[in-house]
Amino acid sequence: MALNRAVIAYDDAVTDAISQQLLINIVRAHHRRPVHFTGVSNIAATFNFQANAGAMPALGGLAGASILPIFGGSIAESPTISIVPIEGEDFTKRLLTPFPQSKLTLLLRQRFDVDLLLRMMAQEVRLLNATEQHSSYRNNPSDKTGYEMFRRVVLHLSAIQDKNELYVEPLPLIQTWTIPASSIAAEGFQALQKEFVVRYNPGDNTYTLRKQVPGPILITNHDPSTLIDAEREALHDLAGDWNVSDIAFDIRPDHYGGEWPISGVFRLRSFHSILGFLGKALGEEPGYHVEKDPRTPPILWNENPDLTMGFVVSNATPADVDFSIRWNDGQYYAVNTKGPYARWNRDAFQLLFLLFQMTVTDIPRVGVPSITIAK
């Protein structure tokens, strides 16, 4: 029983500590202070169970051989908790490096809302227009034109996701090679057939080798595997010009959401930029309401909040919140978990927690300076 209670208690304590650190670092970013994290590297809890029994003559009463049994026991818990700062070049690089597209798609496949993911993780969207020129729209409330276009594009993808018509899949590509038939021995031919589709061309005495390979990940309103080779190559050109922190999308006519056919690329943020973005929402750059594009299908009423993550700021400990922190200015900060967007805000903080876990390196357990708390 003591072990069960201890495991849950330590787990709650560590989770609460990380959550409060995330919140206080958002506040630090708001006040333009350096962000910093500290982690629990090790918990060693020792339990000492003791029991004893004995007997003694009964006190008072008639004299005789009356014996009084005595039973006793004790439980002692002695935890040692090691705390280390999370810092160094490796962690700083991870903190400042934009997230790769694979992290975004991993979260999308866990059924996170695409609008929540992109509002938090993407710093801009670049749309490809008819002249094949990219127009950049920043996810920044101070840039009114860019911010409103970004929000409309994200809402359009959200409406498609709500109908389960949003695909997030690698673009299947067909690679081909042509080699002289004379260059392949019998043993080599058998090996090629295991890896490639091989076709002989009698006209020029060559072999054509074909192999399907996964290409870049795309967000679409259609199944990329149904495209013809020329369409796949065009999409590959769209996605291939961008780095690993960009994710392309392609919304086509004749599919759900095709009333507004758009294509382009989202450029992702780093975790440090996410903290800065959320911190600015507490002050000089709060979000505001943006209506969906008229061509966008209906969206759910609770999936278009003004803020990516809503906060409560007060002069006293706020009530009805999961937790709060007190800053040096005497104000209390908490994630807003009341009202119509309570679920959205909780999901946003859970997403931030997961993104931090994807960013932090393994905490060293030995050979590092640490603070040891012996209870």
Side-chain angles (χ1 to χ4, degrees):
M1 293 174 61
L3 178 62
N4 290 339
R5 288 194 298 267
V7 170
I8 298 301
Y10 290 139
D11 183 72
D12 287 344
V14 172
T15 303
D16 290 347
I18 296 175
S19 299
Q20 292 187 39
Q21 282 190 78
L22 288 171
L23 182 55
I24 202 168
N25 275 302
I26 293 173
V27 179
R28 284 171 177 163
H30 166 59
H31 289 282
R32 303 187 183 278
R33 300 284 296 275
V35 300
H36 189 268
F37 291 93
T38 300
V40 176
S41 65
N42 190 55
I43 299 176
T46 302
F47 297 88
N48 184 21
F49 299 85
Q50 295 182 346
N52 52 71
M56 63 178 291
L59 301 177
L62 299 174
S66 178
I67 299 297
L68 177 66
I70 301 174
F71 299 98
S74 65
I75 300 174
E77 176 189 353
S78 179
T80 299
I81 302 172
S82 299
I83 302 173
V84 296
I86 306 176
E87 55 189 14
E89 182 180 0
D90 187 35
F91 174 67
T92 303
K93 285 182 178 179
R94 293 168 69 95
L95 194 68
L96 299 177
T97 300
F99 283 101
Q101 60 173 230
S102 59
K103 301 291 179 65
L104 176 70
T105 55
L106 175 65
L107 292 166
L108 276 174
R109 289 173 181 172
Q110 307 308 310
R111 300 305 299 170
F112 273 92
D113 293 333
V114 67
D115 45 350
L116 172 58
L117 282 169
L118 291 172
R119 286 179 64 173
M120 184 175 293
M121 296 182 66
Q123 66 179 0
E124 67 180 22
V125 60
R126 297 190 174 190
L127 298 182
L128 182 65
N129 57 33
T131 59
E132 298 188 356
Q133 297 296 318
H134 286 85
S135 300
S136 178
Y137 299 95
R138 295 191 301 158
N139 181 17
N140 188 335
S142 64
D143 178 7
K144 181 177 174 61
T145 300
Y147 180 69
E148 293 183 1
M149 176 58 77
F150 178 91
R151 290 279 301 274
R152 291 189 185 103
V153 172
V154 168
L155 282 171
H156 195 70
L157 297 182
S158 177
I160 299 172
Q161 184 190 45
D162 290 341
K163 283 293 184 178
N164 293 321
E165 296 293 338
L166 195 70
Y167 293 81
V168 185
E169 302 292 340
L171 176 65
L173 298 176
I174 302 296
Q175 294 186 347
T176 61
W177 298 266
T178 301
I179 58 177
S182 59
S183 65
I184 303 178
E187 297 81 3
F189 185 82
Q190 292 178 352
L192 286 175
Q193 285 185 315
K194 296 178 181 179
E195 298 288 335
F196 304 93
V197 176
V198 182
R199 186 181 66 184
Y200 177 66
N201 306 310
D204 54 3
N205 193 30
T206 60
Y207 285 108
T208 298
L209 310 180
R210 292 171 57 89
K211 182 178 182 180
Q212 181 171 302
V213 296
I217 297 174
L218 293 176
I219 299 175
T220 64
N221 65 338
H222 54 85
D223 187 352
S225 63
T226 62
L227 301 176
I228 62 175
D229 290 350
E231 292 174 321
R232 294 178 187 177
E233 289 298 328
L235 285 177
H236 180 257
D237 292 339
L238 168 66
D241 293 338
W242 305 95
N243 60 38
V244 69
S245 296
D246 297 334
I247 184 165
F249 62 95
D250 180 59
I251 305 302
R252 297 194 167 196
D254 302 325
H255 298 275
Y256 190 82
E259 294 81 7
W260 186 17
I262 48 176
S263 60
V265 176
F266 288 102
R267 176 153 291 180
L268 302 183
R269 291 184 169 116
S270 66
F271 189 77
H272 186 271
S273 296
I274 291 174
L275 292 177
F277 170 73
L278 295 175
K280 290 178 181 178
L282 285 169
E284 66 270 24
E285 295 182 10
Y288 56 88
H289 180 73
V290 176
E291 193 59 52
K292 70 180 183 69
D293 188 274
R295 295 162 290 183
T296 296
I299 61 173
L300 300 178
W301 66 271
N302 59 347
E303 289 197 358
N304 188 23
D306 296 351
L307 300 174
T308 304
M309 187 188 299
F311 297 96
V312 175
V313 182
S314 65
N315 295 322
T317 304
D320 300 327
V321 298
D322 296 337
F323 62 92
S324 63
I325 59 100
R326 184 178 184 273
W327 183 246
N328 299 334
D329 58 3
Q331 290 188 308
Y332 292 82
Y333 296 83
V335 177
N336 189 355
T337 52
K338 295 189 298 183
Y341 297 117
R343 184 193 67 83
W344 173 282
N345 290 332
R346 281 197 171 101
D347 287 347
F349 194 82
Q350 181 190 23
L351 172 60
L352 186 69
F353 190 98
L354 291 174
L355 292 175
F356 173 69
Q357 297 298 322
M358 292 179 177
T359 302
V360 67
T361 55
D362 291 336
I363 300 176
R365 299 184 181 277
V366 294
V368 297
S370 63
I371 301 173
T372 300
I373 304 173
K375 181 177 175 183

